[in-house]
Structure formats: C-alpha cells, structure tokens
Amino acid sequence: MARVVLSAFPMIDPETYREVLGDAVDEPVEIEVAELGSTENLIAAADGADAVVTDIDTPVTAEALDALDLRAVVRSAVGVDNVDVGAAAERGVTVTRVPDYCTDEVAAHSVSLLLACLRSLKSYDDDVAAGGWSWEAGRPVRRVSASTVGFVSFGPIARRAAEQIAGFDADLVAYDPFVESGEMREYGVEKAEFDELFDRADHVGVYAPLTDATRGMVDADALGRLDEDSVVVNVGRGPVVDADALLDALESGAIKGAGLDVLAEEPPEDDPLVGRDDTLVTPHAAWYSEEARDDLNRSGAADVAAVLNGETPEGRVDPNADWL
C-alpha cells in the first residue's frame, strides 16, 4: 500500500486527492493529513510515506530528505522556493509543482492592485467613510494611458497581465534574462535591462519567483529610479522586494504607493507596511478562485498518481532549470 501525507494547509483538499488517487492508482493508497509547517514536523509526519504534498511554510531540506524515503515531493503551488530541488534530485526524489493553475487569477489580482493604487481607491473609500466627499482626497491621480508599466519577470502570469493592461494603452516593458525580446514583442512588450526598466517605468509589477538571484533584487537603488507618482505591485514572493527599502520609499514620498499580495513574513507580525494609507495588502490571496483551487488539487493529485505508477508527472521540476 502506498502512503501519501498531505499538509493540513487549507489550499489542499484531501477529498480531491482521495478521488483522483482512488481512480488513477492501481494499488491501494493511504492518505493522511498532518500539520506540517517545519522540517521537524515534516520528518515526523512523513516517516514511511511515499509522497508528501507540502505547503509554502514547510522547508523541505536535505536533512528532511535524508531522514525520509520519499518518492515525490509535491509543492501545492507555482513556486518551489521552500524545497531543496537539487538535494531532492541527488536522492532520486521527484519534485513537482502546479505552474499554471492560477495564471488568470494572479494576473487579474496584480492588475487590480495596480489600478486600485493608481486610482487612489483606498484614499477615496476612507474619505467617504469618514464623511467626506471630495475628489481631491486621492490626489494626485495620473492617467493610465500616459504611463509605462514594467514587469519584473515575464512568465505566464506576467504575460497574462500584459494582455490585460494592454487595453489601457500604457507602454509596456519587461525584464527577464530567460525570455527573448522577440517573445516579449508578441505581447506588445519591450525587453529592458533591470536598471533600464526602473528608469523607464512609471509603475512596476513584480512577478519573479524567489531564488538566490532574485532575493532583494528590488532594492533601494531600483526604487530610487522611480518617481513620486509610481506604484509598485508585488505578486511574486515577498523577499524579492527589499521591505526596508520599500518602506523608506513610501515614507519619504519617493513613490505613490504599493500593492502587495506577498510579504517577507506571512502572516505578518507588526509589519510596518501593513495598515498604511498608501499601501494595499492582501493575504497571499491572488491565486484564489474556486476553480483555481480545484485545478490545483487535481493537478497535484495527478502528479502523485504518476509517480506512484512509475510515470513522469506533468508538473515535474527540472533540477537543472535556469530559473532555479
């Protein structure tokens, strides 16, 4: 009998896993749900398991992989920054992810954050709630079509966002060392170097995964290249943006505002970026729709089934991928 341990994380639906694995795997599959959240909990819960379906909060380290005898680690998300993919490959453990379950959702969320900040919706709502009724409460507001929007990383989510923003007639530029300029032009986007993007962009959306190369890449120097009407949106990973530098830029008035779906620490504890008048923060919810959650669980379960059946899962992460 195969044994699969699922994180008790709310994104992960045990009933979907039971349904898919029951239909797709010939041998009986025992499914357990466990509170993970730490390497120690992972080792204790997944002892004797063939596969573990993990969450964003659980580090899957070389230490954990040595202590366990896993065949697969399924990351129930797009990113794998909490999984030591190289160590897994060295130990013959397949790592999978679900790269496209929430492309539309995150793209739409990023555009929503951008427009809400650009149009000063939070300031207007607060003013009306306090008894005001003034168009000046959100000043200054600049015309979207007169702006340049930059994308840090240009994968599937950023491309979908570019398609959506294109309807507002803004100019679009992107930085991504792994995407050719011709591919960007197909989306009406001009390729730029990192510093050039921040020099040219009025507003910046951060879509980058968290790697050693991207950690803290949106730093004080980058933010200093923007102007006082600029908005920064982050739907990638919190630590890609230097939180102290972003706070300094907001407090000094160097930029207009920020829309953040991800933070350096989640959930936040006394994060000074939370609760500011010039900042919109959502609880890492950009991925969410009922349809996306169903896709996430069915795709993850299909990957587990493929590994248990001795097949290559669709969501397999290549340990030699350039972006890792």
Side-chain angles (χ1 to χ4, degrees):
M1 176 181 290
R3 180 166 169 255
V4 177
V5 173
L6 309 181
S7 168
F9 205 65
M11 291 172 70
I12 300 170
D13 179 23
E15 292 308 312
T16 299
Y17 274 83
R18 291 189 178 97
E19 175 192 338
V20 173
L21 295 177
D23 291 339
V25 181
D26 292 335
E27 65 178 312
V29 180
E30 178 186 5
I31 295 177
E32 296 181 13
V33 179
E35 293 285 347
L36 302 182
S38 69
T39 300
E40 294 75 16
N41 288 352
L42 171 65
I43 292 172
D47 183 30
D50 295 279
V52 62
V53 180
T54 189
D55 55 72
I56 193 172
D57 297 324
T58 303
V60 184
T61 62
E63 173 195 0
L65 294 165
D66 283 336
L68 301 170
D69 189 24
L70 296 170
R71 295 166 62 185
V73 173
V74 174
R75 175 68 176 90
S76 190
V78 175
V80 290
D81 43 281
N82 60 316
V83 180
D84 191 332
V85 178
E90 291 171 0
R91 291 155 179 79
V93 179
T94 299
V95 176
T96 77
R97 66 185 184 120
V98 189
D100 55 4
Y101 77 98
C102 61
T103 299
D104 284 350
E105 285 78 6
V106 180
H109 199 92
S110 70
V111 175
S112 298
L113 286 172
L114 175 64
L115 294 176
C117 292
L118 281 175
R119 296 295 308 168
S120 299
L121 298 191
K122 186 175 184 180
S123 296
Y124 284 128
D125 182 68
D126 288 346
D127 179 64
V128 173
W133 191 257
S134 172
W135 61 268
E136 295 183 290
R139 295 184 74 179
V141 173
R142 302 296 183 185
R143 184 172 290 168
V144 180
S145 61
S147 67
T148 297
V149 178
F151 300 83
V152 176
S153 186
F154 201 64
I157 293 171
R159 297 175 195 200
R160 185 72 182 109
E163 291 174 335
Q164 295 169 352
I165 294 173
F168 293 93
D169 294 327
D171 292 329
L172 308 178
V173 296
Y175 164 77
D176 193 319
F178 307 112
V179 181
E180 297 296 330
S181 57
E183 195 170 356
M184 290 186 182
R185 280 197 297 271
E186 295 177 8
Y187 294 86
V189 176
E190 185 179 348
K191 185 179 176 71
E193 294 301 317
F194 185 76
D195 287 347
E196 178 191 2
L197 181 144
F198 281 84
D199 284 334
R200 293 177 55 185
D202 297 292
H203 314 294
V204 174
V206 179
Y207 298 83
L210 180 62
T211 67
D212 290 341
T214 64
R215 185 181 293 274
M217 71 186 301
V218 181
D219 57 12
D221 180 71
L223 295 170
R225 296 172 184 271
L226 301 174
D227 62 37
E228 62 185 9
D229 295 319
S230 296
V231 169
V232 174
V233 169
N234 187 6
V235 293
R237 285 291 183 265
V240 175
V241 177
D242 184 322
D244 291 336
L246 178 61
L247 181 63
D248 288 344
L250 291 165
E251 290 191 333
S252 67
I255 64 173
K256 173 184 172 72
L260 309 173
D261 186 55
V262 289
L263 297 170
E265 181 182 11
E266 299 176 1
E269 293 185 10
D270 300 321
D271 191 324
L273 289 169
V274 176
R276 295 181 57 87
D277 291 340
D278 53 11
T279 305
L280 279 173
V281 180
T282 53
H284 206 138
W287 67 273
Y288 171 68
S289 71
E290 287 296 308
E291 294 85 355
R293 185 170 184 261
D294 186 62
D295 288 348
L296 172 69
N297 285 279
R298 291 188 180 279
S299 295
D303 283 344
V304 173
V307 172
L308 296 180
N309 289 333
E311 302 164 354
T312 300
E314 183 175 345
R316 175 183 176 272
V317 176
D318 179 359
N320 298 313
D322 290 338
W323 57 270
L324 283 173

